[in-house]
Amino acid sequence: MTGKELDRAVHQQLRTLSKENAEGVAQHLVMVAATLEADNLEAALAHAETAVRRAGRVPAAREALGMVAYRLGDFARALTEFRTVRRLSGSSHLLPLMVDCERGLGRHSRALELAATPEARTLTEDERQELAIVVSGIRRDLGQDDAALVALQIPALRRAAGPSVCRLHYAYADVLLGLGRDEEARAWFLKAVEGDVDAVTDAVERLEELDGIVVELGEDDEDDGAELSEVTAVAPEDV
């Protein structure tokens, strides 16, 4: 890891540091991303904390630490870091995560208030989708399933299936299923599957459940946890 793997915007932030320090911080930020991807949260935290110690006023460093804290479920710390990023950078791109942190802390009313602030109108389309998904989840937490469905009915929902909207389609299908609208849910899970080229959701498995497909394990698989030996489709009426 040389640190040169970071995008240009982050390198611009690091120009406020000495050359040697900037190079070191860049390497730590690259390692944060790599260890997060490897699900090594302990190592990611160590690299992120070091980056912040060396570059506490660099938004990218504070965002990295916030992301690690968020993955660890330390929502109070994550929220503090995300607020700092907003103050340092003037950007509200982390608003969906900030709302989700408030949700994680059990402060649903505060989360909804934050989601409705004027800053939400400055988000990109992808960020607006993420915010809609979080708000929908909050409504479901509160037992407001109809409102959860409405929260997802943003313009992007009607876009053709694709990677950029598969999570939104999945969330919509999941809420429909919770409302007992199984056939509609199935149609939206299909759209999610079509667009989910990177398998970021379990839409395929959810469709299999709806269609009555069960997985039968062979005796060897039950004993040692090996790969599945047989997948059998069973008619819904037989399940």
Side-chain angles (χ1 to χ4, degrees), residues 119-153:
E119 287 82 359
R121 293 195 290 271
T122 70
L123 301 178
T124 66
E125 182 175 286
D126 287 348
E127 291 161 358
R128 290 181 185 182
Q129 289 183 48
E130 292 303 314
L131 182 59
I133 291 170
V134 173
V135 169
S136 179
I138 294 169
R139 292 298 185 185
R140 294 188 80 179
D141 291 348
L142 296 172
Q144 302 169 359
D145 286 1
D146 288 327
L149 194 67
V150 171
L152 295 169
Q153 293 172 352

Side-chain angles (χ1 to χ4, degrees), residues 82-159:
F82 293 154
R83 285 172 174 165
T84 301
V85 173
R86 184 170 63 175
R87 187 179 70 252
L88 292 173
S89 67
S91 172
S92 295
H93 68 284
L94 294 172
L95 186 64
L97 290 176
M98 294 171 67
V99 173
D100 204 29
C101 286
E102 293 284 11
R103 176 192 182 190
L105 291 168
R107 303 193 296 231
H108 294 84
S109 294
R110 188 177 298 185
L112 292 174
E113 290 173 2
L114 181 59
T117 55
E119 287 82 359
R121 293 195 290 271
T122 70
L123 301 178
T124 66
E125 182 175 286
D126 287 348
E127 291 161 358
R128 290 181 185 182
Q129 289 183 48
E130 292 303 314
L131 182 59
I133 291 170
V134 173
V135 169
S136 179
I138 294 169
R139 292 298 185 185
R140 294 188 80 179
D141 291 348
L142 296 172
Q144 302 169 359
D145 286 1
D146 288 327
L149 194 67
V150 171
L152 295 169
Q153 293 172 352
I154 60 176
L157 183 68
R158 299 298 172 182
R159 286 176 50 190

Side-chain angles (χ1 to χ4, degrees), residues 205-221:
E205 289 81 359
R206 301 297 297 277
L207 268 177
E208 289 175 347
E209 291 175 6
L210 278 172
D211 290 344
I213 297 176
V214 298
V215 176
E216 294 184 356
L217 299 177
E219 292 182 1
D220 292 340
D221 300 314

Side-chain angles (χ1 to χ4, degrees), residues 167-226:
R167 293 186 68 254
L168 183 64
H169 289 167
Y170 178 93
Y172 197 67
D174 194 42
V175 177
L176 284 168
L177 192 61
L179 287 167
R181 296 160 60 175
D182 293 14
E183 287 304 314
E184 293 174 83
R186 187 181 188 283
W188 285 95
F189 276 130
L190 278 171
K191 290 172 71 73
V193 169
E194 184 180 348
D196 192 5
V197 295
D198 295 321
V200 297
T201 74
D202 64 347
V204 171
E205 289 81 359
R206 301 297 297 277
L207 268 177
E208 289 175 347
E209 291 175 6
L210 278 172
D211 290 344
I213 297 176
V214 298
V215 176
E216 294 184 356
L217 299 177
E219 292 182 1
D220 292 340
D221 300 314
E222 292 176 346
D223 292 337
D224 59 20

